[in-house]
């Protein structure tokens, strides 16, 4: 009976998270805030998290989320539209523009997968978000590569097979959260000259790396 109850909880969580992300994706603008909210939801322990944690995360970080959303809209949507156009109109392909679009898209994807982790775990301004979002890569190159491959695959699905996207709406942010939160802990532990284990015992601190690679303390 207990196993059936746990299974039902996972099914409900899968359906609710997938539905929220799907609705936000249809509306476009709420999608990135919802991704951040879901990452915050997954950060919380399975036994204590509630669906309201999604909206609490968004509300707590609304200013930086708005700036991050505008940044992502520019750096991802326009390259995707251009790549889609060149894919459907090969006779009009401009290879220089295509190369710039591909580079911008890669940068956008990196920040799309790293940005929510930074927002959920740190209290940062926009410039600090960009810096820490880049530095997060070095918390674990293999994990970052796996996350980038996963996110790139989703972008490819959006461009070429958008109808399969709903099947990935729960799994992708869940996997990204696990991979990149671990990156965050490794990077922060290295900067603080401590162990990941000890750092996880004190996860409530809102310290972050500044533009000089130094630790800042919010309560100082």
């Amino acid at each position: 009976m207990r196993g059936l109850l746990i299974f039902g909880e996972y099914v409900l969580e899968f359906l609710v998270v997938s539905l929220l992300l799907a609705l936000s994706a249809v509306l476009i603008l709420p999608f990135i805030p919802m991704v951040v909210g879901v990452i915050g939801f997954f950060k919380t322990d399975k036994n204590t998290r509630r669906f309201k944690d999604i909206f609490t995360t968004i509300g707590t970080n609304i200013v930086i989320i708005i700036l991050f959303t505008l940044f992502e809209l520019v750096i991802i949507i326009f390259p995707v539209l251009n790549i889609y156009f060149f894919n459907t109109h090969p006779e009009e392909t401009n290879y220089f523009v295509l190369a710039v679009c591909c580079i911008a898209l890669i940068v956008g994807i990196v920040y799309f997968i790293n940005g929510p982790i930074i927002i959920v775990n740190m209290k940062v301004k926009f410039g600090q978000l960009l810096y820490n979002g880049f530095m997060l890569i070095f918390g674990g190159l293999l994990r970052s590569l796996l996350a980038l491959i996963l996110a790139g695959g989703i972008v490819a699905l959006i461009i070429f097979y958008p109808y399969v996207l709903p099947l990935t709406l729960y799994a992708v942010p869940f996997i990204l959260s696990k991979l990149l939160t671990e990156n965050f802990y490794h990077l922060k532990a290295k900067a603080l000259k401590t162990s990941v284990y000890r750092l996880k015992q004190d996860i409530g601190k809102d310290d972050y790396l500044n533009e000089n690679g130094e630790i800042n303390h919010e309560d100082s």
Side-chain angles (χ1 to χ4, degrees):
M1 189 67 180
R2 174 63 177 168
L4 186 60
L5 179 61
I6 294 174
F7 176 75
E9 290 175 350
Y10 274 109
V11 170
L12 178 62
E13 183 175 288
F14 172 84
L15 291 175
V16 171
V17 170
S18 296
L19 180 60
L20 288 174
L21 286 171
L23 289 175
S24 65
V26 170
L27 297 173
I28 300 177
L29 286 178
F31 182 62
I32 291 177
M34 189 59 66
V35 170
V36 175
V38 168
I39 294 295
F41 173 75
F42 285 141
K43 178 187 175 183
T44 308
D45 182 80
K46 176 66 176 69
N47 296 319
T48 60
R49 66 191 182 212
R50 300 292 182 266
F51 293 126
K52 69 177 183 179
D53 294 337
I54 297 174
F55 302 98
T56 300
T57 300
I58 296 173
T60 302
N61 300 284
I62 189 64
V63 174
I64 191 66
I65 287 175
I66 290 173
L67 295 174
F68 180 61
T69 299
L70 294 174
F71 171 77
E72 285 295 308
L73 285 175
V74 171
I75 203 168
I76 285 184
I77 295 228
F78 287 112
V80 166
L81 291 176
N82 279 328
I83 292 171
Y84 180 79
F85 175 80
F86 291 142
N87 183 61
T88 55
H89 300 78
E91 70 282 356
E92 298 185 37
T93 299
N94 183 316
Y95 290 101
F96 174 77
V97 174
L98 181 60
V100 171
C101 288
C102 289
I103 293 171
L105 185 56
I106 291 171
V107 172
I109 292 172
V110 168
Y111 278 107
F112 177 78
I113 63 179
N114 287 352
I117 303 298
I118 301 300
I119 292 172
V120 166
N121 287 284
M122 304 180 185
K123 299 296 184 183
V124 292
K125 297 178 181 178
F126 184 68
Q128 295 162 343
L129 171 62
L130 295 182
Y131 177 81
N132 285 278
F134 175 74
M135 291 302 298
L136 191 63
I137 297 171
F138 303 102
L141 292 177
L142 179 58
R143 286 186 294 268
S144 293
L145 180 60
L146 290 174
L148 184 60
I149 291 172
L150 179 62
I154 297 304
V155 171
L157 286 177
I158 294 173
I159 294 174
F160 299 107
Y161 307 103
Y163 49 85
V164 304
L165 182 62
L167 300 178
T168 69
L169 289 175
Y170 179 91
V172 172
F174 179 81
I175 295 172
L176 291 178
S177 175
K178 297 304 178 183
L179 286 173
L180 297 176
T181 298
E182 196 65 23
N183 269 22
F184 165 73
Y185 286 131
H186 277 76
L187 185 64
K188 188 175 180 181
K190 182 178 180 180
L192 291 171
K193 295 180 173 57
T194 186
S195 68
V196 174
Y197 174 79
R198 289 188 62 185
L199 182 61
K200 287 181 178 179
Q201 304 308 303
D202 194 16
I203 59 176
K205 287 186 177 180
D206 288 317
D207 306 336
Y208 59 86
L209 293 177
N210 64 20
E211 290 82 352
N212 298 317
E214 301 169 337
I215 289 291
N216 279 358
H217 304 276
E218 283 294 309
D219 56 357
S220 59

